[in-house]
Amino acid sequence: MNPVTNKIIENLSQLILGKNEQLKLALCCLLSKGHLLIEDLPGMGKTTLSHGLANVLGLSYQRVQFTSDLLPADITGSSIFNSQTHSFDFHPGPIFSQILLADEINRASPKTQSALLEAMEEGQVTIDGQTHPLAQPFFVIATQNPLHQSGTHPLPESQLDRFFMRISLGYPDAQVEKSLIASGNKRTLNMNDLGCSISDEQLFEMQNAVMDVKLAEPIVQYILDLVSYTRDSGEFSDPLSPRASIALGLSARAYALISGRDYTLPDDVQAVFGCVAGHRLNIPCSEQESAVEAIFERVVVPL
Amino acid sequence: MNASELVQRNTLITSLIYCGMSLLLFQNLGYVFCVSILLICIFKVSTSVGAVRNPSQLVVNLLAVTVIIVVFLSLGFRNTIEMFVAMLLGACSLKMLQVTSEKQAQSVYILNFFTYPCFYLFSQNILAFLLIAAMLLLNLSQLFSVTHHVAIKKSVHSSVRKFVFSLPLAIAMVMLIPKLPPFWQLPNAKSASTGLSENVDPFEISDLSRSSELAFRALLPISNEFQPPFYWRAIIHDSFDGKKWAMSSLQTRPLYKTYEPIAQPYSVISSPSNTRWLYTLGEGIPASSGISANHFGAIYQKKQSNKAIQYDVSPVKLDDARITRWEYRQNTHLPDGINPKAVELAKQWDRTTGSTAEFLAKMEAFFVAQGFQYSLSPPSINSNDTIDEFLFSTQVGFCGHYASSAAFLMRSVGIPTRLVSGYLGGQFNEESSYYAVYQYDAHAWVEYYVPQYGWQRLDPTAWVAPERMLGSLSDLTDLEQEFKDNLGFSLQAFSNIAAINWVRLQLEQIDFHWTRWVLNFDDKKQSSLLKTLFGQKHKLLPALSVVLLLILVFGCWFIYINLRARFKQPKEIRIYNKLLVLAELKSDRLTPKQIFECLKTKWPHAKNELSEFYDLFESTRYNEVQLSSQQYRKLSKLNRQIIKKAKIK
């Protein structure tokens, strides 16, 4: 295990109990400079995880609770007339921070959703003809409820594609839940104790180190085979795009880095494949595991 | 060059090939059809240079209807094969006008592997073979060019190479694989060649002398029995209706008696002809299957084919000293009231002579004294009493005239006589020692019956042109100029130029061997060839060698593919695969890590070695590090240890 990431995950696992794999994946997404989507039922710890991640990485963060009447300006900010200077002053919205926690993103109207997603892609916001660059690094950690819940606007495929990964926490083990019940709601308490475990420079270095991880030829071939399987098998109405292939390579590297290796294994690809491909292939969270298993069973692992 | 340009260029070439093919077959397909294909080709050329726009679907459909009408009007249902080939050529040419996509071109090129060989239905000589082979080769490269977007030059290069590589295998398979009779047969295409006819109007036969086409070749054993003049009998005409000599129903009577050959058998390789009647030197019985003899000692194919065939004949002397009353009547029958002057002349001779021989002498004297002339282009006679006209007024003619007149004169006094048509002479090829007989060697003579002696040959032409008997018509110096005028433009006509004659003889030579060894390579030839190759065990060995050859070829191929993949693989993968094979674990859907987890649960006592093996494998394979020889040894050693431990369990 990489000592730096190990520390981060150790810290986070005090907050989110028994979900080390999901923590690794979430970290992996952020190291790959990707935006993270956390999908789960209410009360599973989505928001806790997103807060924890922002805290641990030591980045400035703002939280927006998405509702159906949220407007684009509520996120990006707006120009307000200053009667003293007789001019419009720009008041930046919550998007001007290093991490934006977009809670329940699918409760907002499509208009607001697209305003956010545009900013995610471009790294800048244009208001009243003026372009304002966003902070560096800039991450969006969005949470969403499963689509069948009432009052949700599903994200269109094109916008889902902009999220690097989608993870789902799932129910905790009985043992973990027992300790949760016993300890009561320690969330606020723990959040402040968590503290920062990584500096900005360290994060920057880690992100660069991801690109130095070796991606051997058979691994590239494996990624290619998996992607072409989704395209050629006819099982998927929305096969994986080249953006997804790139994301797979990048996240496999990040996963290898987190696991303390400087080369990737086919197992790394398998570990990240579900999170990277699941939302792009329109697989519901609940079926993701079995669907991914089915793909692995059909694609030969190149040597 | 982009794909559509390639398609355009290729289809243009193919269009020109169709046009050339139709022009070569114009005798069979008719002028009208050839002109329409030529027009389609011109259309194609003008679209490709951009003078004309590509035709619309409607225009192509209209053209198709036109071509169908042309085919029906000019060929009709009588010539099924010609109609079929014409339809195919027409359809393909029109498709070439329309082709824009690679897929369409591909389907036509695949069809061409059938279309081009249709040429063989009409001609099977070596030139046709070479031409079609070249066309097929070009077609292969065009197919390659269109489907793989390669320039034609490059694709020709690669297909020639493939062709050359596959040639030895093809030859071996033709020679060794047992030959089976064809499962189905097309009706015969009407051969364009001239030849003998079952019904002879002697005043028509002059056409024959104009053709320098080969009639047949004969391989005669060197023996005293075979000396010139060579009278090749083919058709026996024993029925005369006043104009035409025809064959009576007596012809179908088979030869009942068995005869002992009087000399060694000889073989004949005949060119395709219109009739089923074949050629024998005198009387003969066939020694090949598919050929029968009738009781005149004339031989014929049981089933007429338009292919060149080779057969053996044993010469015999028929026991025909006695003839039946029916035969007598058939061979002396004449229609009433024709040629009164000739009948009168014959009766006059008959009154003054006492034997057939004396009668013949009288007749010979008459022909010699009257100054009859031999000519290949006699004046035509338009009269009911053609023989009167010929004997007493024109007095110029060739074999048919003389034979017909003599037979008429003899029949009119009751001597049983029949007309025989066949060939006289033959050109000896010294290098391959065969006699080549051409259509211009066609001849007609007479056979007459003498009680107690049987049927005798009489050649009235010899009285007028004795030199005709000595050799082939082409050797006659007197008639040389006339003969050459008749031949028109052919190599034979230039035979007095040494170089051209040499070329002609060489071509003949090649064609002889081609016909003899390739076209006539049948099961018999094959078995005799195999006998010389394999000796007595020739029944089993060829089949065995074919199987072995195929196994060898495919085996080599598989080994090559396997080795190629294996040599490409790094060492660690080879050892890894070996381990998997020995572990009887076959799952390429699992990652190496997962596989080793499985192995660890399977053989817990080899856990340490497995971990060590995997770590080494992983750190070299996925870290893209070359395996050092030390590591290689270590891996091999671990592999052995694991297998050993696994076996102990």
Side-chain angles (χ1 to χ4, degrees), chain B residues 141-204:
Chain B
S141 36
Q142 283 183 302
L143 180 65
F144 179 58
S145 159
V146 164
T147 50
H148 288 75
H149 313 292
V150 189
I152 304 170
K153 217 171 170 182
K154 205 170 150 196
S155 66
V156 166
H157 191 78
S158 98
S159 47
V160 166
R161 214 171 40 205
K162 284 185 178 71
F163 174 76
V164 170
F165 280 139
S166 56
L167 205 58
L169 186 66
I171 291 174
M173 283 169 76
V174 167
M175 290 207 312
L176 296 178
I177 287 186
K179 285 191 166 297
L180 295 174
F183 298 121
W184 55 278
Q185 264 179 320
L186 289 169
N188 289 326
K190 224 163 93 190
S191 157
S193 67
T194 53
L196 299 176
S197 153
E198 292 192 357
N199 299 312
V200 171
D201 186 349
F203 302 93
E204 271 178 7

Side-chain angles (χ1 to χ4, degrees), chain A residues 38-49:
Chain A
I38 308 171
E39 179 177 318
D40 224 322
L41 292 165
M44 306 288 271
K46 299 189 293 283
T47 317
T48 314
L49 172 62

Side-chain angles (χ1 to χ4, degrees), chain B residues 222-237:
Chain B
I222 299 160
S223 130
N224 285 334
E225 276 94 5
F226 301 105
Q227 291 297 332
F230 295 122
Y231 278 92
W232 298 95
R233 287 167 108 221
I235 300 174
I236 292 164
H237 313 270

Side-chain angles (χ1 to χ4, degrees), chain A residues 35-37 66 72 75-76 95 100 102 105-106 108-125 134 138-144 153-165 243 279:
Chain A
H35 307 292
L36 181 66
L37 180 66
F66 278 43
I75 304 171
T76 59
I95 203 164
L100 175 71
I105 189 170
N106 58 347
S109 61
K111 190 179 173 184
T112 314
Q113 288 174 359
S114 7
L116 173 64
L117 292 158
E118 202 186 328
M120 282 161 62
E121 190 63 17
E122 317 263 320
Q124 59 186 31
V125 179
L134 296 178
F138 173 67
F139 297 122
V140 173
I141 300 175
T143 67
Q144 79 170 355
H153 299 277
L155 287 171
E157 286 88 356
S158 60
Q159 301 193 344
L160 269 177
D161 199 29
R162 299 209 179 135
F163 282 103
F164 190 81
M165 266 191 194
R243 178 160 31 192
H279 61 295

Side-chain angles (χ1 to χ4, degrees), chain A residues 257-279:
Chain A
L257 183 76
I258 292 168
S259 309
R261 270 179 278 111
D262 60 350
Y263 53 87
T264 42
L265 296 183
D267 306 83
D268 296 331
V269 178
Q270 290 198 348
V272 298
F273 184 77
C275 303
V276 174
H279 61 295

Side-chain angles (χ1 to χ4, degrees), chain A residues 79-94:
Chain A
S79 299
I80 294 168
F81 185 70
N82 188 331
S83 55
Q84 285 165 358
T85 57
H86 292 276
S87 65
F88 284 93
D89 288 352
F90 179 63
H91 290 253

Side-chain angles (χ1 to χ4, degrees), chain B residues 70-89:
Chain B
V70 163
V71 168
F72 275 118
L73 288 183
S74 64
L75 294 167
F77 275 109
R78 271 172 306 155
N79 313 322
T80 336
I81 287 293
E82 283 85 348
M83 189 181 77
F84 157 75
V85 174
M87 285 282 193
L88 196 60
L89 274 174

Side-chain angles (χ1 to χ4, degrees), chain B residues 199-412:
Chain B
N199 299 312
V200 171
D201 186 349
F203 302 93
E204 271 178 7
I205 212 168
S206 67
D207 278 355
L208 270 187
S209 66
R210 292 176 198 275
S211 165
S212 64
E213 264 178 65
L214 186 78
F216 60 92
R217 293 189 178 96
L219 286 157
L220 295 179
I222 299 160
S223 130
N224 285 334
E225 276 94 5
F226 301 105
Q227 291 297 332
F230 295 122
Y231 278 92
W232 298 95
R233 287 167 108 221
I235 300 174
I236 292 164
H237 313 270
D238 52 359
S239 158
F240 184 61
D241 68 351
K243 259 193 156 10
K244 275 192 173 130
W245 289 88
M247 308 178 86
S248 74
S249 54
L250 291 172
Q251 297 275 350
T252 53
R253 274 171 55 187
L255 192 65
Y256 291 121
K257 269 192 179 171
T258 48
Y259 287 96
E260 281 300 311
I262 53 165
Q264 281 175 277
Y266 52 91
S267 34
V268 175
I269 306 158
S270 84
S271 296
S273 83
N274 293 331
T275 65
R276 48 204 279 236
W277 296 93
L278 299 171
Y279 323 103
T280 58
L281 207 53
E283 290 146 347
I285 50 171
S288 301
S289 59
I291 296 169
S292 306
N294 69 4
H295 82 296
F296 296 130
I299 62 170
Y300 58 95
Q301 286 170 272
K302 283 179 192 154
K303 233 182 181 172
Q304 195 193 332
S305 79
N306 63 338
K307 282 194 305 186
I309 59 162
Q310 180 170 9
Y311 58 91
D312 296 328
V313 187
S314 303
V316 292
K317 179 78 194 84
L318 294 189
D319 174 22
D320 53 4
R322 298 174 62 184
I323 57 171
T324 62
R325 205 152 56 88
W326 299 109
E327 277 180 89
Y328 181 82
R329 188 180 291 174
Q330 178 67 52
N331 284 299
T332 52
H333 173 78
L334 285 179
D336 290 331
I338 54 161
N339 300 320
K341 279 153 103 185
V343 174
E344 184 50 45
L345 181 69
K347 292 222 164 120
Q348 192 191 321
W349 293 338
D350 191 36
R351 280 195 290 273
T352 57
T353 53
S355 70
T356 307
E358 281 175 47
F359 179 86
L360 292 181
K362 275 263 184 211
M363 193 158 68
E364 180 177 356
F366 169 78
F367 275 108
V368 174
Q370 291 286 317
F372 278 87
Q373 278 173 21
Y374 186 85
S375 168
L376 292 173
S377 39
S380 58
I381 299 168
N382 297 314
S383 156
N384 272 339
D385 299 326
T386 42
I387 290 172
D388 271 4
E389 190 86 358
F390 170 68
L391 286 178
F392 302 108
S393 106
T394 63
Q395 300 196 330
V396 176
F398 53 84
C399 57
H401 301 86
Y402 296 104
S404 176
S405 309
F408 181 84
L409 289 169
M410 289 161 84
R411 276 196 176 191
S412 59

